[in-house]
Amino acid sequence: MYETTRQRICKWLLLAVLVFSTLDAALFALFDIGTERLGLRCLNSFFEFYLPELFPGKLTVYIAAFAGLAALVGWVLLLCGKRAGVTVIFAVSVLPFFKSILIFLTSILALFSAADLGAQALSAVKDMGYSQPTPIQSSAIPEILNGSDLIATAQTGTGKTAAFALPVIKLAKAHEPGGPRVLVLSPTRELAAQSAEAFENFSKYTSLRTLLVQGGTSMDRQTALLKAGVDIVVATPGRLLDHIRQRNISLKGVRWLILDEVDRMFDMGFIEDVSNIIRYCPKDRQTLFFSATMPDAVLRLSKWALKDPKKVGVGVVHSPADTIEHFIYPVDGIQKYDLLLEILKRIDCESIIVFTRTRIDADRIGEWLVAHDYPVSILHSDRTQRERDKALKDFKDGVSKILVATDIASRGLDISNVGYVINFNVPEHSEDYVHRIGRTGRANREGKAVTLFSSDETEFLKRIESFIGEKIERRKLEGFAYRTEPVLDEPVHKRRKRNR
């Protein structure tokens, strides 16, 4: 009986699938039994291709052996005219996929487990949804667990908080009566609140107690909790010194001292307060410095405050991320308000941060935008703690589309999905430019950042371009009524030749 064209095509397709399945199973068995960590993987092991070094374990080797044997049995049955052979071969072909799933599930915490953080911390890590440590965590955690003082340098958003919180929680173990054993200093209330929340989340399967000590909230409540006994204090320098002077807290029992965003503390003028706090701590302690940059002033402090520190540095870059399109709009200073409104009219974005240099500017711009019917939140250090908390919450929840802020919001704050950043002024400090525009373009998302530049800010701009190693593109906003035509290219001044 003659075969139809469809039957012939189906037969050849079936044969091709069977050969592919057998080859897949054979490779699966060969590579897992013979060379477990060779890195060569099966054809359809998608997960394993992206996670090649996660331990297979003996169970997956047994699965591999079974796959190879079953494929052989399937072909014997098929050659003997048994249709069951087809079913066996097809069934075997999916084993590599299930093996990959097994590897993926059993190794979610494999790399964190290698750091010996303990079951309680690892359970919290799993609840937080982390799959593997970041580079700064991989570098810092072993050094902290070994008891070394540490200077760690990494960009914001790289997981610095977990890098010091997880090992310290492991070392602190459980609640002990008396004063705090862990002290974390943060430059701003917002950063302190985030760090305190991280410690609470990571230590939730332990008996450790965490307290946030910051200004703008009741001292009486903080005093009562301090007297009740806490293990971890996360504080801003000013409020902590208030408690020390009123003898509400003793730092004699501090065994782990952590300074987060140290360079920012210097920028904000906290160096004297920080130095005084360090003097209240015992000399027999482990001290950790974490920062996005490490200027000379911080290094000088580290020579006094740390003992033979280890140094780790990951991802310290001066240039903006590749996901950020950043440029400049030259404009007369008197027209910045009007240009800001015109930009906002043309932006189709649900989350915008407008950075200003001063608190007065932040208030004025916020009021200006509110008067033009824009939903705005304002964030700076002169606002009450309740106002600051509400501003952040409204912006994160989408109640306010625009956040007008000073540099208090440029570093460390957990604000995601910011689509557009506008610098109303050119930042005075070059590092702040990178941190400001770095609030957008995060997590591999694209973002835009524009800076309104007037001629009196030329020196600041030159420093920034020197710092990031590139010239920032000048643009003109078409359709905007400029008082004077913006200069997009700097004129080249040629030397005049003297008449001889």
Side-chain angles (χ1 to χ4, degrees):
M1 187 175 180
Y2 292 103
E3 291 180 328
T4 64
T5 303
R6 176 183 289 184
Q7 287 174 331
R8 263 197 307 273
I9 292 174
C10 289
K11 187 176 76 172
W12 283 108
L13 282 177
L14 177 61
L15 182 60
V17 170
L18 291 177
V19 171
F20 174 83
S21 300
T22 305
L23 179 62
D24 189 25
L27 289 173
F28 179 37
L30 173 63
F31 292 140
D32 265 343
I33 295 174
T35 54
E36 285 184 27
R37 290 186 176 273
L38 186 60
L40 302 173
R41 299 304 183 188
C42 312
L43 299 179
N44 68 343
S45 295
F46 175 82
F47 287 107
E48 208 171 358
F49 179 80
Y50 287 100
L51 302 171
E53 289 302 321
L54 298 179
F55 57 97
K58 291 184 177 181
L59 180 58
T60 57
V61 177
Y62 296 151
I63 296 175
F66 175 77
L69 182 61
L72 180 61
V73 171
W75 273 100
V76 170
L77 291 174
L78 186 62
L79 293 173
C80 291
K82 305 291 184 180
R83 292 187 178 180
V86 177
T87 306
V88 171
I89 295 174
F90 273 123
V92 168
S93 69
V94 300
L95 281 176
F97 177 76
F98 284 114
K99 179 243 180 189
S100 301
I101 295 290
L102 176 64
I103 292 174
F104 179 71
L105 293 177
T106 56
S107 61
I108 285 178
L109 299 176
L111 297 177
F112 273 114
S113 299
D116 191 26
L117 293 171
Q120 294 167 323
L122 289 175
S123 296
V125 167
K126 182 179 178 181
D127 291 347
M128 296 284 286
Y130 297 150
S131 59
Q132 63 183 45
T134 63
I136 187 62
Q137 292 163 3
S138 297
S139 301
I141 288 176
E143 299 293 352
I144 298 173
L145 290 175
N146 287 334
S148 303
D149 283 7
L150 186 70
I151 297 175
T153 312
Q155 294 294 100
T156 56
T158 56
K160 291 198 302 290
T161 305
F164 60 75
L166 287 169
V168 167
I169 288 170
K170 165 69 186 306
L171 295 170
K173 295 181 181 178
H175 173 65
E176 293 181 8
R181 292 174 292 143
V182 181
L183 175 61
V184 183
L185 293 179
S186 295
T188 67
R189 300 174 190 175
E190 288 71 23
L191 281 173
Q194 283 189 184
S195 294
E197 183 181 2
F199 268 97
E200 289 174 351
N201 289 334
F202 289 133
S203 64
K204 65 181 179 180
Y205 293 112
T206 72
S207 56
L208 294 170
R209 300 177 185 176
T210 301
L211 176 63
L212 173 62
V213 174
Q214 60 175 3
T217 56
S218 171
M219 277 194 71
D220 294 337
R221 179 180 176 277
Q222 292 172 4
T223 302
L225 291 171
L226 285 169
K227 290 181 178 179
V230 295
D231 304 285
I232 303 166
V233 168
V234 183
T236 52
R239 175 53 64 91
L240 181 61
L241 282 174
D242 290 340
H243 280 291
I244 292 173
R245 288 163 185 157
Q246 296 183 26
R247 298 186 178 180
N248 297 329
I249 185 175
S250 171
L251 303 183
K252 292 181 179 179
V254 170
R255 294 176 57 190
W256 296 276
L257 173 62
I258 304 161
L259 274 64
D260 189 20
E261 299 287 357
V262 192
D263 55 343
R264 190 67 180 151
M265 292 187 192
F266 273 80
D267 292 342
M268 297 177 70
F270 289 148
I271 180 56
E272 186 175 345
D273 289 347
V274 170
S275 299
N276 288 332
I277 291 170
I278 293 175
R279 290 188 182 97
Y280 282 110
C281 297
K283 292 184 178 180
D284 185 17
R285 66 174 189 270
Q286 185 178 6
T287 307
L288 314 173
F289 275 22
F290 279 78
S291 185
T293 60
M294 201 60 64
D296 291 339
V298 176
L299 292 176
R300 286 194 296 270
L301 177 64
S302 70
K303 292 178 181 178
W304 165 66
L306 284 73
K307 299 176 183 177
D308 300 321
K310 302 291 185 180
K311 295 182 180 180
V312 296
V314 179
V316 181
V317 293
H318 292 163
S319 59
D322 294 335
T323 54
I324 303 171
E325 179 188 356
H326 63 114
F327 50 92
I328 288 171
Y329 281 142
V331 65
D332 289 344
I334 197 171
Q335 281 197 290
K336 280 192 175 183
Y337 281 91
D338 295 327
L339 181 58
L340 174 62
L341 284 178
E342 189 63 29
I343 292 170
L344 292 175
K345 288 178 184 177
R346 304 186 187 192
I347 294 177
D348 183 18
C349 181
E350 295 301 319
S351 187
I352 304 165
I353 299 182
V354 179
F355 281 110
T356 69
R357 193 180 300 151
T358 67
R359 292 163 287 190
I360 293 175
D361 277 344
D363 286 331
R364 287 175 177 171
I365 293 170
E367 292 168 2
W368 174 264
L369 295 178
V370 168
H372 286 80
D373 299 324
Y374 284 100
V376 175
S377 292
I378 302 173
L379 180 65
H380 60 70
S381 58
D382 274 355
R383 312 284 284 185
T384 67
Q385 189 59 43
R386 182 173 295 179
E387 288 173 332
R388 290 162 72 164
D389 291 342
K390 185 177 187 302
L392 271 179
K393 185 177 186 303
D394 286 350
F395 185 64
K396 289 180 179 180
D397 293 345
V399 176
S400 300
K401 178 180 178 179
I402 302 170
L403 177 67
V404 181
T406 56
D407 286 311
I408 195 174
S410 67
R411 293 169 66 168
L413 293 186
D414 184 18
I415 305 175
S416 58
N417 300 325
V418 176
Y420 216 103
V421 167
I422 301 173
N423 289 318
F424 188 81
N425 315 102
V426 178
E428 290 186 29
H429 302 289
S430 303
E431 297 91 342
D432 290 339
Y433 179 80
V434 178
H435 291 305
R436 282 185 183 186
I437 70 174
R439 303 317 306 177
T440 186
R442 298 168 78 88
N444 293 321
R445 295 188 180 93
E446 292 185 355
K448 286 188 177 182
V450 59
T451 300
L452 310 188
F453 162 65
S454 56
S455 58
D456 60 327
E457 299 171 311
T458 301
E459 286 304 314
F460 297 149
L461 182 58
K462 286 182 177 178
R463 287 182 209 159
I464 291 171
E465 292 180 327
S466 175
F467 181 75
I468 65 176
E470 64 178 85
K471 185 177 177 63
I472 305 173
E473 180 186 358
R474 277 73 164 165
R475 295 184 185 179
K476 176 182 177 180
L477 186 65
E478 297 298 333
F480 179 70
Y482 288 95
R483 293 182 62 183
T484 58
E485 189 68 16
V487 178
L488 303 184
D489 295 314
E490 291 184 352
V492 178
H493 299 285
K494 297 183 179 179
R495 286 185 177 182
R496 291 185 178 180
K497 293 183 179 179
R498 291 184 177 182
N499 294 326
R500 295 180 181 247

